[in-house]
């Protein structure tokens, strides 16, 4: 059905049951079940590590509303369009990918699996997906780059000294990354109550690969390095010699200023509900941002995407791609690089299936009128 997708699975109600065939009580569903995957990860990981990945800020309202916000839109299928196959291939800032579903940056992947970011990189490459590598990683940019030739971006935080941060930007360019992602929604760290209750701390033996050689775990507090401004967008682009993506934008006016300052793309994100809370959901902020920047920049989104229909909704609202965080964490924790590939392939298969049902042949031009707010009757 789709580039990289799996086809030919038996369809319930479309096959005959063999005489004497029994269905096991614990039968695994023949499609991606992210809820079950999360529960498997919960069983495997130490409780405080699971909560570090799974938790949000304050009352976790932003976290709780993220997926429901995508489901507040309704699909409007087209019929009789002669759709025989769906093409998921696209380009992100000129980089070809086999799927518009990428890997969001997330920290300290070595806590989820011994392979850490190397496993995620291999899994993403096998799925033809773009990976965004975090500053807060357990492997260096160069090590991840050497693990695979898959497409990758490097994400930058304001965690360390200006000199060290500038050096990381330069190294990303030298190591063959295709873009630099500035995460801008952390003027200080969100108050994450699960971590406070468990008194969470990084394991003593966890490698902090991108911290200064003489420094420990970074602490983002008011006394941290000088805050970034819009002027830093062009500055980091010059340092890295890479296009700059600004991640953490939830307003149209901010998006316009980012583009005017030199951003090649803006990324609509609530940081997984881990910063300000309650915040507007990505699914509700996305249309405003897309309308504000028009054709001047690519727009991406993350936050609570858990199904192929969620991905299609984001594409219809104007996103060029979406990015996954926690589902990839659970895939890595439960299956290493193969688990990562399984999550990305499974969601891509769901997307292709939903697009075929909606009469849409390819992801590059999903019409805006594919979705309407729930409860709205649109007359054409």
């Amino acid at each position: 059905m789709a580039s990289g997708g799996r086809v030919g699975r038996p369809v319930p109600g479309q096959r005959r049951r063999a005489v004497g065939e029994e269905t096991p009580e614990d039968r695994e569903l023949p499609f991606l079940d992210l809820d079950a995957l999360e529960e498997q990860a919960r069983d495997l990981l130490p409780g405080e590590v699971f909560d570090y990945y799974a938790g949000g800020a304050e009352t976790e309202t932003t976290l709780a509303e993220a997926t429901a916000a995508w489901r507040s839109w309704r699909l409007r299928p087209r019929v009789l369009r002669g759709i025989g196959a769906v093409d998921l291939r696209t380009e992100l800032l000129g980089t070809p990918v086999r799927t518009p579903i990428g890997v969001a940056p997330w920290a300290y992947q070595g806590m989820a699996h011994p392979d850490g970011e190397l496993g995620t990189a291999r899994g993403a490459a096998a799925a033809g997906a773009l990976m965004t590598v975090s500053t807060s990683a357990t492997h260096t940019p160069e090590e991840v780059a050497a693990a695979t030739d898959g497409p990758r971006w490097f994400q930058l935080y304001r965690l360390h000294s200006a000199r060290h941060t500038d050096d990381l930007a330069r190294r990303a360019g030298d190591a063959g990354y295709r873009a630099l992602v500035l995460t801008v929604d952390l003027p200080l760290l969100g108050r994450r109550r699960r971590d406070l209750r468990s008194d969470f701390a990084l394991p003593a033996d966890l490698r902090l690969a991108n911290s200064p050689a003489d420094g420990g775990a970074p602490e983002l507090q008011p006394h941290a390095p000088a805050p970034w401004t819009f002027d830093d967008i062009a500055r980091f682009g010059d340092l890295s010699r890479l296009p700059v993506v600004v991640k953490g934008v939830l307003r149209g006016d901010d998006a316009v200023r980012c583009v005017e300052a030199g951003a090649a793309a803006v990324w609509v994100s609530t940081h997984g509900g881990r910063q300000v809370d309650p915040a507007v959901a990505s699914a509700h902020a996305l249309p405003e941002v897309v309308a504000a920047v028009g054709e001047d920049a690519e727009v991406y989104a993350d936050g609570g995407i858990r199904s192929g229909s969620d991905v299609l909704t984001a594409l219809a609202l104007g996103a060029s791609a979406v990015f996954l965080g926690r589902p990839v964490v659970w895939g890595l924790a439960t299956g290493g690089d193969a688990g990562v590939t399984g999550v990305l392939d499974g969601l891509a298969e769901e997307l292709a299936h939903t697009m075929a049902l909606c009469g849409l042949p390819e992801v590059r031009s999903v019409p805006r009128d594919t979705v309407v707010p729930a409860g709205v009757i649109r007359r054409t």
Side-chain angles (χ1 to χ4, degrees):
M1 177 181 294
S3 174
R6 291 167 290 182
V7 295
R9 291 179 173 178
V11 178
Q14 300 298 312
R15 68 180 183 92
R16 290 183 181 274
R17 187 176 301 279
V19 176
E21 178 186 353
E22 296 182 359
T23 299
E25 293 182 2
D26 59 347
R27 176 174 178 267
E28 184 177 346
L29 293 173
F31 53 80
L32 182 64
D33 186 342
L34 288 177
D35 289 336
L37 188 69
E38 182 174 344
E39 287 306 307
Q40 292 173 29
R42 185 193 296 270
D43 292 340
L44 287 171
L45 295 171
E48 67 274 13
V49 172
F50 176 85
D51 279 343
Y52 172 78
Y53 291 136
E58 302 292 354
T59 61
E60 298 191 346
T61 300
T62 309
L63 176 64
E65 292 179 348
T67 299
W70 296 111
R71 312 288 165 81
S72 70
W73 298 89
R74 293 293 180 269
L75 298 170
R76 301 176 66 237
R78 291 167 169 78
V79 299
L80 299 175
R81 295 307 201 270
I83 304 301
V86 173
D87 189 355
L88 300 186
R89 294 172 298 176
T90 188
E91 290 186 0
L92 303 180
L93 296 180
T95 297
V97 290
R98 296 205 309 265
T99 170
I101 305 166
V103 177
W106 45 283
Y108 306 124
Q109 296 176 25
M111 293 193 301
H113 189 277
D115 291 347
E117 292 80 11
L118 305 185
T120 302
R122 291 192 294 264
L130 188 148
M131 176 186 178
T132 313
V133 180
S134 175
T135 290
S136 300
T138 53
H139 290 88
T140 67
E142 295 83 1
E143 290 167 344
V144 178
T148 173
D149 59 0
R152 59 194 177 275
W153 294 346
F154 187 76
Q155 175 264 348
L156 203 62
Y157 276 130
R158 184 183 63 88
L159 293 178
H160 308 292
S161 71
R163 180 177 180 178
H164 185 74
T165 301
D166 289 355
D167 184 58
L168 284 172
R170 293 189 191 95
R171 287 168 56 191
D174 292 342
Y177 287 74
R178 306 293 184 85
L180 191 70
V181 179
L182 303 183
T183 294
V184 297
D185 54 5
L186 277 90
L188 65 160
L189 199 66
R191 186 178 289 111
R192 301 166 188 177
R193 295 185 181 180
R194 294 198 207 188
D195 294 347
L196 293 172
R197 289 191 185 100
S198 66
D199 192 25
F200 175 77
L202 298 175
D205 60 349
L206 186 71
R207 184 186 182 207
L208 308 180
N210 297 326
S211 292
D214 58 349
E219 296 183 5
L220 188 59
Q221 299 295 343
H223 61 267
W228 289 344
T229 69
F230 289 101
D231 292 338
D232 286 294
I233 295 173
R235 191 179 72 81
F236 278 118
D238 291 340
L239 283 171
S240 64
R241 306 179 309 282
L242 295 173
V244 173
V245 180
V246 180
K247 179 178 181 291
V249 177
L250 292 172
R251 298 171 56 99
D253 52 359
D254 277 350
V256 168
R257 291 193 64 184
C258 288
V259 175
E260 290 175 345
V266 291
W267 185 329
V268 175
S269 175
T270 65
H271 207 102
R274 293 161 68 81
Q275 285 302 106
V276 64
D277 183 77
V280 59
S282 295
H284 295 152
L286 178 59
E288 177 187 332
V289 171
V290 169
V293 303
E295 300 295 323
D296 294 334
E298 293 182 9
V299 178
Y300 318 123
D302 67 20
I305 291 172
R306 297 294 183 269
S307 70
S309 61
D310 296 341
V311 179
L312 181 54
T313 296
L315 297 176
L317 294 176
S320 298
V322 302
F323 289 85
L324 296 183
R326 291 181 179 92
V328 178
V329 179
W330 312 143
L332 181 68
T334 57
D337 56 329
V340 171
T341 302
V343 168
L344 295 168
D345 277 351
L347 206 61
E349 183 181 2
E350 286 187 11
L351 171 62
H353 185 85
T354 305
M355 289 181 64
L357 290 174
C358 288
L360 299 169
E362 54 97 13
V363 297
R364 292 179 185 239
S365 57
V366 176
R368 174 62 177 82
D369 65 1
T370 299
V371 295
V372 292
V376 171
I377 299 176
R378 178 166 182 150
R379 293 178 174 83
T380 57

